[in-house]
């Protein structure tokens, strides 16, 4: 699901005077009320009254989408989802994290459960489970890069990385097909790639871009064929453990 700004609502920054209301609402709804600061929050209002709010909470090493709330009498109008989408749009990094026990709700907005959280958020999740009686609290992530096409600069970057490890396949004129189709027919011989398919480029590019920590953890994929071969080939090339579900 694509995250898009909801055009029905206007988002206004919170003011210092709003912090007391936000803190009281967060406490009543058992939401994250730590480190509250007006500049972290956006609000949806009607006639000056706050209908809902949410924030991007900064940490020393990362950020979190947090403390999203809608007052009880205004629920069911899409305000919470609109706030979530707008915070994703404003988030200062592409990987948008949240710690929550409302898994189904955030999955509908495109978030996925993850155990690979930044250290501070992993600690927050564990604390929520152990100290605050929220045993179902989990980490979730939304990656904004999933929803956009690559730029031409990124395409050239990928080409320069891939050409270090894979041959350039030839483009050959085929006389038989040219006569049969009554045109000048050329064949791009991707079958000459190491796995016999163009998809090998994806696995090589992925593995080439992993950090040392990510390579140490290994990679996991699901495939009916060529994608799995691609990941396996890239993993072997860089000495990474690879597990494929077929």
């Amino acid at each position: 699901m694509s995250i898009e700004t909801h055009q029905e609502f206007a988002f206004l920054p919170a003011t210092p005077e709003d912090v007391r209301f936000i803190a009281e609402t967060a406490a009543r709804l058992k939401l994250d009320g730590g480190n509250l600061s007006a500049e972290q929050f956006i609000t949806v209002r009607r006639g000056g009254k706050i209908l809902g709010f949410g924030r991007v909470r900064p940490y020393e090493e990362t950020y979190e989408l947090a403390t999203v709330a809608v007052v009880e009498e205004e629920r069911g109008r899409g305000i919470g989802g609109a706030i979530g989408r707008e915070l994703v749009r404003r988030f200062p990094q592409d990987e948008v994290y949240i710690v929550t026990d409302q898994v189904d709700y955030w999955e509908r907005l495109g978030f996925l459960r993850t155990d690979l959280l930044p250290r501070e958020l992993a600690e927050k999740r564990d604390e929520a489970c152990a100290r605050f009686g929220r045993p179902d609290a989990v980490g979730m992530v939304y990656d904004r890069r999933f929803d956009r096409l690559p730029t031409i600069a990124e395409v050239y970057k990928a080409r320069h990385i891939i050409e270090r490890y894979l041959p350039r396949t030839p483009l050959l004129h085929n006389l038989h097909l040219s006569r049969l189709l009554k045109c000048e027919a050329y064949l791009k011989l991707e079958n000459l790639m190491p796995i016999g398919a163009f998809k090998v480029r994806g696995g090589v590019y992925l593995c080439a871009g992993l950090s040392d920590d990510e390579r140490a953890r290994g990679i996991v994929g699901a495939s009916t064929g060529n994608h799995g071969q691609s990941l396996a080939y890239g993993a072997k090339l860089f000495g990474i453990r690879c597990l494929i579900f077929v």
Side-chain angles (χ1 to χ4, degrees):
M1 174 183 291
S2 174
I3 290 284
E4 298 178 355
T5 303
H6 200 300
Q7 299 300 318
E8 181 182 349
F9 303 102
F11 303 100
L12 299 173
T15 67
E17 291 73 26
D18 296 328
V19 173
R20 180 176 179 180
F21 173 80
I22 290 172
E24 292 173 350
T25 304
R28 184 174 74 253
L29 300 178
K30 298 182 179 180
L31 300 175
D32 178 5
N35 190 31
L36 298 181
S37 178
E39 60 267 19
Q40 298 174 10
F41 282 86
I42 60 171
T43 67
V44 170
R45 301 171 185 259
R46 183 192 302 126
K49 179 184 177 182
I50 296 178
L51 308 182
F53 55 80
R55 65 167 165 166
V56 175
R57 179 176 178 177
Y59 292 80
E60 290 185 6
E61 299 175 5
T62 190
Y63 298 88
E64 180 196 11
L65 192 159
T67 323
V68 176
V70 178
V71 296
E72 287 86 344
E73 61 270 22
E74 296 291 340
R75 292 178 180 173
R77 296 184 52 232
I79 296 174
I83 292 172
R85 294 184 182 96
E86 179 65 13
L87 290 172
V88 166
R89 189 185 70 81
R90 298 185 183 203
F91 214 74
Q93 61 192 33
D94 282 328
E95 291 182 338
V96 183
Y97 293 103
I98 185 170
V99 174
T100 180
D101 56 5
Q102 303 297 315
V103 176
D104 291 344
Y105 180 84
W106 290 101
E107 282 183 341
R108 290 196 294 271
L109 293 180
F111 281 75
L112 299 173
R113 291 182 58 161
T114 180
D115 291 326
L116 302 178
L117 290 170
R119 174 186 56 82
E120 293 157 312
L121 297 185
E123 292 172 353
K124 177 181 179 178
R125 176 201 58 199
D126 295 343
E127 185 177 41
C129 293
R131 291 183 55 195
F132 299 116
R134 304 184 74 169
D136 297 327
V138 300
M140 304 188 76
V141 64
Y142 182 98
D143 193 332
R144 293 188 307 204
R145 293 167 293 190
F146 292 160
D147 288 328
R148 66 174 178 84
L149 296 174
T151 65
I152 189 64
E154 289 169 330
V155 171
Y156 278 112
K157 175 187 175 184
R159 187 191 75 173
H160 291 315
I161 291 175
I162 291 169
E163 65 185 3
R164 302 172 193 167
Y165 306 103
L166 295 172
R168 180 175 296 186
T169 54
L171 179 66
L172 301 181
H173 182 262
N174 186 278
L175 183 60
H176 175 71
L177 286 179
S178 296
R179 289 174 177 172
L180 182 65
L181 300 174
K182 297 180 181 180
C183 67
E184 296 302 316
Y186 290 81
L187 300 179
K188 182 69 168 167
L189 301 185
E190 296 293 274
N191 58 304
L192 298 181
M193 279 291 183
I195 67 168
F198 73 93
K199 286 189 177 181
V200 68
R201 295 185 180 91
V204 170
Y205 182 67
L206 170 70
C207 294
L210 296 178
S211 67
D212 290 341
D213 287 342
E214 289 169 332
R215 291 183 182 183
R217 288 197 295 264
I219 58 175
V220 178
S223 173
T224 58
N226 288 336
H227 175 61
Q229 291 189 85
S230 169
L231 294 177
Y233 184 88
K236 182 177 180 181
L237 197 62
F238 292 93
I240 302 170
R241 182 174 181 268
C242 177
L243 180 63
I244 304 296
F245 290 88
V246 178

